Amino acid sequence: MSSETAAPASVSTHILDTSVGRPAEGVALTLSVRSGRDAWTVHGTGRTDADGRCKNLPALPEGTTHVRIEFETEAYFVSSRPGSSHQHSVNQQAEEQQDAPALRDSGAFFPEVAITFAVKPGEHYHVPLLLNPFGYSVYRGS
């Protein structure tokens, strides 16, 4: 199948907050694309749902060779600080689970996480982000 007739590439993502062992709900993200070394173009935005997934990212335009997903992690961690309603829910879940920490250090060392990767037409790219206030890991999922 030639690149002219191939289906467009697609992207999906989800985030697990490894500091509490739960999906990261409400994280805003921006999907940008480029062809070769052209300038980045914003192609879509979204927010993670209760399962930490963003399911509404648009198919990539023809000719896309690189994708960047920017996750706005600082706002997520600020809303997760002690005293916020989200933190109360996280603390309650952690207490129920008992193997996740009920409290974590406030703030985030990484206020945003930008992941850039190469794509080919017709392929699907699932990009999970494992996140905590002081580190992250990402990989190509299935």
Side-chain angles (χ1 to χ4, degrees), residues 11 13 29-32 67-71 113-115 117 127:
V11 174
T13 189
L29 61 98
T30 302
L31 174 73
S32 298
V67 171
R68 180 173 60 202
I69 305 175
E70 295 174 83
F71 300 92
V113 173
I115 306 302
F117 53 99
V127 184

Side-chain angles (χ1 to χ4, degrees), residues 17 75-84 86-88 90-91 104:
D17 181 342
Y76 166 76
F77 284 115
V78 166
S79 73
S80 299
R81 285 187 177 156
S84 73
H86 175 77
Q87 181 61 39
H88 174 72
V90 168
N91 286 344
R104 59 176 169 223

Side-chain angles (χ1 to χ4, degrees), residues 24-124:
E25 179 179 4
V27 178
L29 61 98
T30 302
L31 174 73
S32 298
V33 298
R34 74 177 183 196
S35 178
R37 290 287 178 192
D38 292 346
W40 288 104
T41 302
V42 173
H43 185 61
T45 60
R47 186 170 297 274
T48 56
D49 62 16
D51 195 33
R53 298 179 185 278
C54 185
K55 299 177 182 176
N56 60 345
L57 295 175
L60 303 178
E62 186 176 332
T64 298
T65 59
H66 297 92
V67 171
R68 180 173 60 202
I69 305 175
E70 295 174 83
F71 300 92
E72 298 300 324
T73 55
E74 184 172 46
Y76 166 76
F77 284 115
V78 166
S79 73
S80 299
R81 285 187 177 156
S84 73
S85 60
H86 175 77
Q87 181 61 39
H88 174 72
S89 174
V90 168
N91 286 344
Q92 184 178 12
Q93 290 174 349
E95 285 175 11
E96 291 169 4
Q97 186 177 343
Q98 298 222 357
D99 63 347
L103 295 174
R104 59 176 169 223
D105 294 328
S106 61
F109 184 66
F110 297 103
E112 63 186 40
V113 173
I115 306 302
T116 303
F117 53 99
V119 297
K120 294 181 182 177
E123 292 194 30
H124 178 72

